[in-house]
Every structure is written in C-alpha cells, then in structure tokens.
Amino acid sequence: MNQNRAKKGVHPYEGKDLSKDSSIAVIPAAEVMVYPLAQHIGAPAKAVVSPKDRVLKGQMIAEADGFISSPIYSAVSGTVKAIEKRLVVNGEKTECIVIENDGAEETAEGYGKARSLDSLSGKEIIDVITKAGIVGLGGAGFPTGVKLSPKNPQDIDTLIINGAECEPYLTADYRLMLEKSDEILLGAKAVLKLFEKAKVVIGIEDNKPDVIRLFEEKTAAEEKISVEALKTKYPQGGERQLIYTVTGRKINSKMLPADKGCLVINAATCFAIYEAVYENKPLIHRIMTVTGEAANAPCNLDVPLGMSFEQVLAAAGGAGEDAVKYIAGGPMMGTAMATLDVPVVKASSAILVFSQDDVAVLSESACIHCGRCVGACPSNLIPQMLAKAVKAENYEEFERLGGMECMECGCCTYGCPAKIPLTQMFKLGKAKVREMRIVG
C-alpha cells in the first residue's frame, strides 16, 4: 500500500481498550422478539406470516419485495404475536413482526445442515447468499447478493475484505476476526468462486497487529488471498477510502466499486456468507460491541436479531448511574438514541454508553477559516464553502462544489474548532439535491 494515500482523515480517541480483550459471549434470545421489515437499503421486506402463526428458528418470516430488498428470518421458535408499527433506531415507526419466543429452539428444515462449496455453482452461491438475507454488516445494509452480481463480473479483479473497523470504540469485528478467522477465509473463498480473475485483499488497520499476524499466517500458502496492513486513521474503512488506499483507484458518488474492478465486503458479512454457504444458516444473529465509559462491563456479544437494545445492554451488565447518552453504532457515524426500547437489526453494530454528552455542551461560533475541515476531508472537499452554500439554501452551488461526494464520515465536524455541525448540514444539502433531481 502507498501510505501517502491515507493522509486525509482524523485521529479520534480510539477507546478500543475498553472492550477489545473481551471474547465474544453468546446471549439468549428475549421472550419477545421484534423484526422491522425495513432493515436494509432498498424496498422493505414483505411479511409471509400472520398473527397466531407458529414459526421456527431459521424460518423466513418476510420475503424480499423487489430486486434491491432482502428477506428476514426468525432467530427463535414461537408464535407471531402481531404485525404492527414499532419504534426503530432512527426514531421512526415502521411495520414490524412481533414474535413470542417459546424457548423450544425448534429449527426450520435443513437449518444448520453442512454443505460443500464444491457442490455449488457461482449462481447457486449467489442464490444462497441472497436467500439467507445477508446484507452489508458494516453499517450500509446493502443486500450482498445484489452487490455480488455486478454487470461486469469478468472485470472484477480485486475483492477487499474490510477488516479496518476504523470507528472508535468498536471491537466486534476485531474479536470476530480473532475468533473466527478460518470461517472468514472460507467465506472469502466462496466469493472468490464467483469471479475468475479476482484476488482477495484483507485490509486490516495496523492497530490490530495480532489480527494481521494471524491472517498472514493463515494465508501464507494462498495464491489468491493476501493481507494488507492499513494505516490507522478514520475513516480508513469507508468503502471509497479503502479502495483508494488498497488499489489507488478513485471512486465517486456516480460510480460503483465494480466500475473500477473492485468489490468490498465487511469481515462480519464474510462470516455471514460462511454460515449461509457452508452451514445453511440464514442471517439471524450478529456480533455487537457494548462499550463506553458509562457501560458497566464493556464487552462483545453474539446477539440474536430481534432483541431490543435495552435487553442487550442488560445482558452486558447494564449502564452506570452516570449514563446520559446512548449511541447505536460508532461515535462518528452512529445514531444518538432517545430510547433503548428499539430492536437490534442486521446493521446494528454497537451500543455506546457515555457519562457526558459532548454534543449537548457544544457552543457553535462563526467559522474562523482555519482550514482544518479541508485538511481532514477524505473526499478532498472544501467543507466551509459547502456550509456557506447550504446556509444560503443555494443547493445548485452545493452540488457544483461536489457536495454529493460527501461521505458523511464526520471528520470535518470532529475537527472544527467553531463546533459547526458540518456533517448534519451536508446531509441536508444532499437530501435537497436529491429532491431537486426528482422534481426536475
């Protein structure tokens, strides 16, 4: 890797020492499980069960409703209690399937049945991944089967397994890579079978030397799999940033990675692919980090999808009396939570618990034109000019200045001494541009 490609970005406090030494612990499912039909990019899934229906663990309860959509499976056996609107992480209410867990752990037919990769064609592998309900588990939630079906499969030469986990505090992928390295590599080999010319590069930030050594040892004899040590700098794990760092190829908002011969898959997604392809298990659980200065026992948990954040936090030992702020996901791109009574979904990576709300005490002042935002922006934008355009409601100018290239990573906001909420402004600007395009 050319280290010069990793110059942009910021170095926030990592906070990973709180939970990185905590091995993954499996927690039992709750008595009532809630499954939002919209937990991925694209069209919400469509329920295929009704109230009072009995369901089994690993049974499909909602089917994909369109090309860019993804099915949903129950993590428990039990009875469908209701299909109703419930609150989710982003503060909205959305249609959810509510299942009462009977504790029997009775599984659907074929669940967990071993399968050989050699018995599957490329098309069958994609069908398995699609039907298993796998989406990007790094936070994006894009259906993986669609991502692995580019219009130019013959041109894909680089598959990047994203093991950067660049968000502060998060250690779920770190523990998964340490504890399930063989399975992740088998998942990578399943994806390799789809692209004749491709090689796999496993990108890992250099603040995880033990993981780098482990994967280097396990891939030493592999001709088509290599390990790339990445400079530790946020947002090194962003898709565009990762592709540029590893290959030197630049991607913009109007392009797909496949247009440059690349595909990026998160390490946790790769593990989910392993479970689907080799063990015939749909996506019904994920690894989450529960951490923060106000978390009683920072740890990494194997969580059945459908539990509430409140139940997961309780299983992790709860929060201290000084807890004042909760975030779903990482501190840079996560979502502040008004309530923990919302369900864990496919893209839920963490619960952060803090004793101080840094945002609440911020006092915004005028831009001093220091240029820190420009130096930090991984997309090489000029945030102060974009902010000026948004404040003036000049969204044509916002677009002309490259505002749609904003990754919403938060680097500019993090570094701004004037405490201007730049990232939030750019989210608004991008939404307004999209509205203009639709109207136009």
Side-chain angles (χ1 to χ4, degrees):
M1 177 194 75
N2 182 346
Q3 290 288 350
N4 290 329
R5 296 180 191 149
K7 279 186 175 179
K8 295 281 189 166
V10 293
H11 283 290
Y13 167 65
E14 289 188 7
K16 294 181 184 284
D17 285 344
L18 292 171
S19 59
K20 75 180 183 67
D21 295 326
S22 170
S23 298
I24 298 168
V26 178
I27 61 173
E31 292 182 3
V32 176
M33 306 287 278
V34 179
Y35 297 92
L37 297 180
Q39 47 180 295
H40 48 264
I41 289 176
K46 181 173 141 186
V48 293
V49 293
S50 302
K52 299 184 180 180
D53 283 355
R54 175 165 164 73
V55 298
L56 305 176
K57 178 178 179 177
Q59 177 182 329
M60 183 189 292
I61 55 176
E63 64 184 3
D65 193 22
F67 177 63
I68 301 181
S69 186
S70 185
I72 296 166
Y73 292 78
S74 175
V76 299
S77 60
T79 304
V80 178
K81 189 177 177 182
I83 299 178
E84 61 190 21
K85 286 189 180 293
R86 293 255 184 141
L87 200 64
V88 293
V89 166
N90 65 6
E92 297 179 356
K93 282 194 171 183
T94 187
E95 204 78 5
C96 298
I97 299 172
V98 183
I99 296 177
E100 200 162 24
N101 180 7
D102 62 13
E105 291 282 300
E106 189 178 348
T107 59
E109 184 179 354
Y111 176 87
K113 185 177 180 181
R115 180 164 45 200
S116 167
L117 179 63
D118 294 336
S119 69
L120 298 173
S121 66
K123 182 180 182 304
E124 288 171 330
I125 290 171
I126 291 175
D127 285 345
V128 167
I129 292 169
T130 299
K131 289 176 182 176
I134 299 173
V135 302
L137 299 183
F142 190 83
T144 304
V146 178
K147 176 179 274 192
L148 296 179
S149 305
K151 63 181 184 298
N152 58 334
Q154 71 285 351
D155 297 330
I156 304 301
D157 59 24
T158 306
L159 297 169
I160 302 174
I161 306 301
N162 185 354
E165 197 169 39
C166 62
E167 273 269 15
Y169 289 93
L170 273 57
T171 57
D173 285 356
Y174 166 75
R175 291 308 313 183
L176 186 63
M177 289 187 289
L178 271 183
E179 300 178 34
K180 300 291 183 181
S181 56
D182 290 336
E183 290 86 347
I184 290 171
L185 288 172
L186 286 171
K189 288 180 179 180
V191 178
L192 260 181
K193 194 169 177 179
L194 306 177
F195 306 102
E196 186 179 342
K197 291 167 54 178
K199 291 188 176 182
V200 168
V201 179
I202 304 171
I204 306 169
E205 280 194 325
D206 56 17
N207 62 352
K208 307 173 185 66
D210 46 354
V211 176
I212 292 172
R213 285 193 301 271
L214 177 64
F215 275 89
E216 284 179 339
E217 290 168 5
K218 296 202 170 187
T219 60
E222 298 286 349
E223 292 183 4
K224 301 187 78 172
I225 304 178
S226 62
V227 180
E228 186 90 54
L230 309 172
K231 184 176 180 179
T232 299
K233 199 165 193 180
Y234 179 83
Q236 187 67 269
E239 189 171 65
R240 292 187 217 167
Q241 188 79 352
L242 190 58
I243 291 171
Y244 180 60
T245 302
V246 171
T247 69
R249 303 170 192 174
K250 294 183 178 181
I251 308 291
N252 61 42
S253 64
K254 296 179 180 178
M255 301 169 63
L256 296 172
D259 295 334
K260 289 286 182 136
C262 299
L263 290 176
V264 180
I265 303 170
N266 178 264
T269 308
C270 213
F271 177 71
I273 290 172
Y274 160 80
E275 289 200 311
V277 172
Y278 297 85
E279 297 187 349
N280 197 30
K281 293 180 179 178
L283 181 58
I284 59 171
H285 71 122
R286 69 157 298 142
I287 313 303
M288 294 181 68
T289 299
V290 181
T291 188
E293 283 74 18
N296 286 336
C299 58
N300 299 288
L301 301 176
D302 189 338
V303 180
L305 299 182
M307 294 184 70
S308 74
F309 277 71
E310 186 174 34
Q311 292 160 342
V312 174
L313 180 58
E321 292 182 2
D322 57 344
V324 297
K325 185 165 187 175
Y326 301 87
I327 296 176
M332 300 297 284
M333 296 186 75
T335 303
M337 305 177 73
T339 175
L340 294 175
D341 188 19
V342 293
V344 169
V345 296
K346 297 176 184 182
S348 301
S349 59
I351 306 172
L352 306 188
V353 190
F354 295 116
S355 57
Q356 181 175 325
D357 187 349
D358 292 334
V359 175
V361 299
L362 292 181
S363 179
E364 181 183 341
S365 59
C367 174
I368 61 174
H369 303 287
C370 64
R372 288 187 190 178
C373 57
V374 179
C377 179
S379 296
N380 295 310
L381 303 174
I382 307 177
Q384 63 194 53
M385 298 298 292
L386 293 173
K388 184 178 179 181
V390 172
K391 283 183 177 179
E393 298 185 4
N394 188 347
Y395 301 114
E396 292 88 351
E397 178 68 0
F398 174 82
E399 184 176 15
R400 189 190 70 78
L401 290 168
M404 300 306 287
E405 301 305 317
C406 173
M407 296 164 55
E408 301 177 18
C409 64
C411 287
C412 55
T413 305
Y414 174 82
C416 179
K419 310 305 179 187
I420 301 171
L422 296 165
T423 307
Q424 287 76 11
M425 293 172 71
F426 304 156
K427 286 183 178 180
L428 171 63
K430 290 170 69 176
K432 292 294 186 180
V433 170
R434 292 189 190 102
E435 285 179 15
M436 285 163 43
R437 288 175 178 175
I438 293 172
V439 172

